[in-house]
Amino acid sequence: MCRTLRSREVWTPILMLTAKDGEYDQADALDLGADDYLTKPFSFVVLLAHIRALMRRSAPQRFPILSAGDLWLDPGAHRCGRGERVLALTPREFGLMEFLLRHPDTVVSKSELLDQVWEVWFEGDPNIVEVYVGYLRRKIDTPFGRCSIETVRGIGYRLNGRGG
């Protein structure tokens, strides 16, 4: 189970609770991805101390890289690109791109984009979404001869999950 989780880049801390107390058992568990190992019997006080220690030293959160075809976005590094080419996006463009990549092949409305990418209390012109979609298209599609952001008339926008 540990090996499977780690191969899928799940970095949740793992505390192995087991009756196996051999040194090879412990080494195997840690080598396969466990973060800590506690053998039975153990007291509740010791279990809680191990959990607190795991929480203190757990790895920083790793954000998965989002992608659609060769279009990618790394939220942790705050980088976006197409293929090998890194694209310069403003913070708002980056937020819009991230939201669309988190919802590929799904039609999202202009009001949903305003709520999620802008603030819920945004009081400006809702057509600002169209303006920023245009900015994104000029950066992520036009130079590459692609059409990854589709307009769904009267409803909103859809990011092609294959990257256009």
Side-chain angles (χ1 to χ4, degrees), residues 20 24 29 34 46 51 56 59 67 76 90 96 103 108 115 129 147:
K20 293 184 170 189
Y24 289 107
V46 171
I51 292 171
R56 276 194 309 269
S67 65
T90 66
L96 179 57
H103 302 88
V108 291
D115 288 348
V129 174
C147 183

Side-chain angles (χ1 to χ4, degrees), residues 108-116 129 155:
V108 291
S109 69
K110 196 186 295 188
S111 63
E112 186 176 3
L113 289 169
L114 282 170
D115 288 348
Q116 299 298 319
V129 174
I155 301 174

Side-chain angles (χ1 to χ4, degrees), residues 26-102:
Q26 291 180 30
D28 285 345
L30 295 169
D31 288 342
L32 291 173
D35 296 290
D36 197 358
Y37 194 95
L38 189 58
T39 57
K40 296 178 189 176
F42 51 81
S43 73
F44 189 67
V45 172
V46 171
L47 173 63
L48 289 178
H50 277 262
I51 292 171
R52 284 192 302 272
L54 273 176
M55 298 310 293
R56 276 194 309 269
R57 70 176 182 255
S58 64
Q61 185 177 6
R62 295 179 176 116
F63 296 97
I65 293 178
L66 307 171
S67 65
D70 66 342
L71 180 62
W72 56 270
L73 184 134
D74 183 344
H78 208 273
R79 295 177 60 209
C80 180
R82 191 173 277 283
E84 297 295 318
R85 187 166 165 199
V86 176
L87 306 171
L89 301 181
T90 66
R92 185 74 69 201
E93 292 167 345
F94 190 90
L96 179 57
M97 188 77 256
E98 182 176 2
F99 187 82
L100 291 171
L101 279 167
R102 289 189 186 278

